[in-house]
Amino acid sequence: MTDEEYFKDEEFREMLADYERTVQSGQLVFMDVDDLADIADYYQFCGRHDDAQQAIDRAIELDPGSLFALNYRIHEALDKRDYTTAEELLSQMPDELTPEYTYSRAETWLAQGQTDKADDYLRQCLKELPSDERQDFIIDVANLYSEYGDSEKSLEWMMRAHPEETDDFKELMGRTYFGMGAYDDSEKIFKELLDKHPFQKRYWNALANTQYMKEDYSASVDSSEFAIAIDPEDPDALMAKANGLFRLENYEEALKFYERYSEKVPDDEFSLLHQGCCLVYLQRYPEAEQQLEKALQKAPKDSPYLLEIYQELAFAYGDDGKIDEAMKTLNETDNLECDYNDLLVVRGHILLSNGFIEEGEAAFRKAIIGSKNAPLILLRVAVSIYDCHYLDSAYRLFKHLFDYVKEDFDQGYSYMALCCHSMKRYDEYLEYLKKAVSCNPDEAKATLSHLFPENISPEQYYEYAQKELKNEYNK
């Protein structure tokens, strides 16, 4: 029986109703700890996280030494990266043969990056299981790897299982394919699940994320809207719609949904970062600075978004003409692990865009020398110079770049085509456009789509441009 089927079971519904009546009456709850754990799982499944935590707290109060309580406290310790406490709690489990111990033991190793050790242990446990318990164990282990972002291991374990037509099995396969970048396969599975369960918001959110990764942003927004229709307060759906709108450059609407998400999850620096980005694009610089400063305050020291927040805040200050604040913000990145040549390009762009030509050029020069003429740094500098409207200088640097790189280099040709178009060097525009759509159509679409009708693909850009220029010449 799947979780969803169990939660619909009459016996569970009666137990849930008894629990909720007791809570509403203000009386003390006396229930079996396992039943309270099931109720907590139900609330988590429904997105009622506060109610889930309340049920968990009651379970731990009733039996602080239970397997459930120990297991929960181990997960709390792992979330805090307190591996010493997690190991101590593991040693308190009375029976190492229980599933609770097995999964917690493996997860504690996985949390510390000891994947081989965890996998050896789990494979040994599998060998010792009776045949009728192997299928469930395999699927549980695959789920565990999926939760830790190791989709290859998840798929490896899924291949040990007998294929099932159950919703849980299909969902796990969909998420595993997603983690491996097989977005078409993932999308197909979630569409099949939605044909059967059209009101399951979890599937709509998963489909929206898959479509987002396929860069089908309009479809992603549509899917997120179904999830929001089912639950207008669901944070995952609000985030999915915000992200899709952001990619569609609908910054006004994206901002609204990031703000709605932050009402539910106020400490998420990712949302605050993107609110700041939306405000920058909307040229509402003081508000952007405020949101990005807030994102810095909320971001933990190991946040994967920390560098991006600093950069976007520096750009916001620069666009607002606050050069000193922008430079001070970039100086704050000195202790971060990053490519400082990239940051020199950012510094040069901000200086150049504010008219500090010599200082900007000095920063660019330092980045190029420091990177030993790395092609991607040369490209970023050339794009920055173009964005600052120094077309001749950008053109010369693009030319130098393409003379310098190897034949298989496939980036930057779209930008050079755009530069040539801006300079009315139409023969070269066509030359670089042809190269761009041939070797990197994604870059061509991102860079040049505003020059072409929405309904044509990058592969059609060259032929369309030829005809358009021919018509211009014949006028």
Side-chain angles (χ1 to χ4, degrees):
M1 182 184 295
T2 65
D3 285 345
E4 193 166 1
E5 290 169 340
Y6 174 64
F7 295 148
K8 291 178 180 177
D9 182 76
E10 185 176 348
E11 185 176 344
F12 174 80
R13 302 303 299 185
E14 289 177 1
M15 179 178 70
L16 177 66
D18 288 342
Y19 169 80
E20 290 183 337
R21 279 194 296 269
T22 304
V23 171
Q24 289 170 5
S25 68
Q27 299 177 29
L28 293 175
V29 175
F30 292 101
M31 295 180 70
D32 186 87
V33 170
D34 289 339
D35 290 340
L36 283 169
D38 288 343
I39 290 170
D41 286 342
Y42 167 76
Y43 286 137
Q44 291 282 15
F45 182 83
C46 297
R48 296 167 59 179
H49 304 297
D50 291 342
D51 291 331
Q53 187 61 54
Q54 192 176 48
I56 289 167
D57 291 342
R58 287 190 167 97
I60 293 174
E61 287 172 6
L62 284 172
D63 190 353
S66 67
L67 279 176
F68 171 80
L70 286 169
N71 210 33
Y72 182 77
R73 289 166 62 198
I74 287 168
H75 282 91
E76 278 191 322
L78 293 179
D79 287 342
K80 297 174 183 176
R81 300 184 182 181
D82 184 356
Y83 305 124
T84 302
T85 298
E87 293 286 355
E88 289 174 356
L89 291 166
L90 266 171
S91 68
Q92 295 175 31
M93 284 194 168
D95 187 352
E96 293 188 5
L97 298 178
T98 61
E100 288 84 359
Y101 179 87
T102 299
Y103 297 131
S104 292
R105 172 67 278 170
E107 188 170 354
T108 301
W109 278 326
L110 287 176
Q112 298 176 75
Q114 297 176 327
T115 304
D116 291 342
K117 196 171 185 178
D119 205 56
D120 289 343
Y121 169 74
L122 290 167
R123 281 191 277 111
Q124 184 60 40
C125 290
L126 177 63
K127 290 178 183 178
E128 297 170 2
L129 283 176
S131 58
D132 62 341
E133 296 179 17
R134 289 168 62 89
Q135 177 80 353
D136 289 343
F137 180 80
I138 288 168
I139 293 172
D140 286 342
V141 171
N143 256 313
L144 181 60
Y145 279 118
S146 180
E147 288 170 5
Y148 272 82
D150 194 337
S151 297
E152 289 187 6
K153 277 291 181 186
S154 179
L155 184 61
E156 178 186 318
W157 277 81
M158 289 291 281
M159 293 300 100
R160 294 188 173 104
H162 302 295
E164 295 178 359
E165 288 301 312
T166 62
D167 296 338
D168 286 350
F169 191 89
K170 285 185 176 180
E171 181 179 358
L172 180 54
M173 282 302 300
R175 295 189 184 281
T176 300
Y177 282 136
F178 177 88
M180 295 183 68
Y183 303 123
D184 287 337
D185 293 325
S186 180
E187 181 180 33
K188 181 181 177 182
I189 288 174
F190 284 111
K191 283 183 174 178
E192 288 175 359
L193 287 167
L194 283 163
D195 286 341
K196 187 177 177 182
H197 304 285
F199 298 104
Q200 178 50 266
K201 68 177 182 181
R202 192 171 72 254
Y203 298 157
W204 282 115
N205 285 332
L207 179 60
N209 290 332
T210 298
Q211 291 164 332
Y212 178 88
M213 295 306 295
K214 288 179 62 178
E215 299 183 6
D216 190 354
Y217 302 125
S218 294
S220 178
V221 169
D222 290 343
S223 295
S224 68
E225 285 173 348
F226 279 104
I228 291 170
I230 295 166
D231 181 0
E233 304 304 316
D234 181 58
D236 292 336
L238 295 172
M239 175 60 78
K241 183 167 183 180
N243 287 337
L245 290 167
F246 185 85
R247 288 295 186 176
L248 291 170
E249 300 182 6
N250 188 345
Y251 302 118
E252 195 79 57
E253 285 300 305
L255 178 61
K256 293 177 184 177
F257 282 90
Y258 283 127
E259 289 173 340
R260 284 179 59 182
Y261 173 86
S262 285
E263 289 173 5
K264 308 297 174 189
V265 192
D267 293 337
D268 187 341
E269 73 273 21
F270 178 88
S271 175
L272 296 168
L273 163 63
H274 282 77
Q275 288 175 52
C277 292
C278 287
L279 290 162
V280 168
Y281 284 120
L282 295 169
Q283 299 182 5
R284 293 160 57 180
Y285 300 123
E287 294 171 79
E289 293 155 18
Q290 184 178 17
Q291 288 302 102
L292 291 164
E293 288 165 358
K294 188 175 180 181
L296 271 183
Q297 293 169 3
K298 297 290 185 181
K301 292 181 180 179
D302 60 350
S303 169
Y305 308 111
L306 196 57
L307 179 61
E308 189 176 357
I309 295 170
Y310 276 118
Q311 288 190 45
E312 293 300 331
L313 181 56
F315 278 128
Y317 282 137
D319 289 341
D320 203 14
K322 300 177 180 177
I323 305 303
D324 289 343
E325 287 89 339
M327 296 301 107
K328 287 177 184 176
T329 300
L330 290 176
N331 291 340
E332 292 295 322
T333 64
D334 287 348
N335 295 323
L336 298 181
E337 291 185 10
C338 59
D339 186 339
Y340 290 103
N341 296 309
D342 283 334
L343 292 173
L344 282 168
V345 177
V346 173
R347 188 181 295 271
H349 178 89
I350 293 170
L351 290 164
L352 188 62
S353 64
N354 281 275
F356 293 87
I357 298 173
E358 291 183 6
E359 293 87 343
E361 288 179 347
F364 288 148
R365 194 178 306 111
K366 192 173 180 181
I368 292 169
I369 294 171
S371 70
K372 298 179 181 178
N373 287 314
L376 291 180
I377 291 293
L378 286 168
L379 174 57
R380 287 194 61 199
V381 171
V383 171
S384 180
I385 293 171
Y386 171 81
D387 286 341
C388 293
H389 310 296
Y390 294 92
L391 303 186
D392 289 334
S393 296
Y395 174 83
R396 288 194 297 273
L397 188 53
F398 278 125
K399 290 285 283 186
H400 168 70
L401 169 66
F402 297 133
D403 288 340
Y404 173 74
V405 296
K406 295 179 180 179
E407 184 64 28
D408 60 353
F409 188 75
D410 66 353
Q411 298 184 53
Y413 295 101
S414 300
Y415 294 102
M416 180 54 153
L418 185 61
C419 185
C420 291
H421 185 276
S422 300
M423 299 175 74
K424 304 188 186 316
R425 304 175 77 116
Y426 294 121
D427 288 342
E428 289 180 86
Y429 161 62
L430 288 175
E431 175 190 342
Y432 286 106
L433 176 61
K434 186 175 183 179
K435 175 77 172 177
V437 298
S438 171
C439 71
N440 197 334
D442 290 338
E443 182 191 83
K445 183 177 181 180
T447 308
L448 300 167
S449 59
H450 65 285
L451 298 177
F452 299 94
E454 290 184 7
N455 61 340
I456 71 170
S457 67
E459 289 77 10
Q460 297 171 297
Y461 285 178
Y462 179 71
E463 184 179 355
Y464 181 91
Q466 275 188 313
K467 291 179 180 178
E468 187 180 54
L469 290 173
K470 186 176 181 181
N471 290 336
E472 284 293 319
Y473 290 146
N474 291 332
K475 284 183 179 179

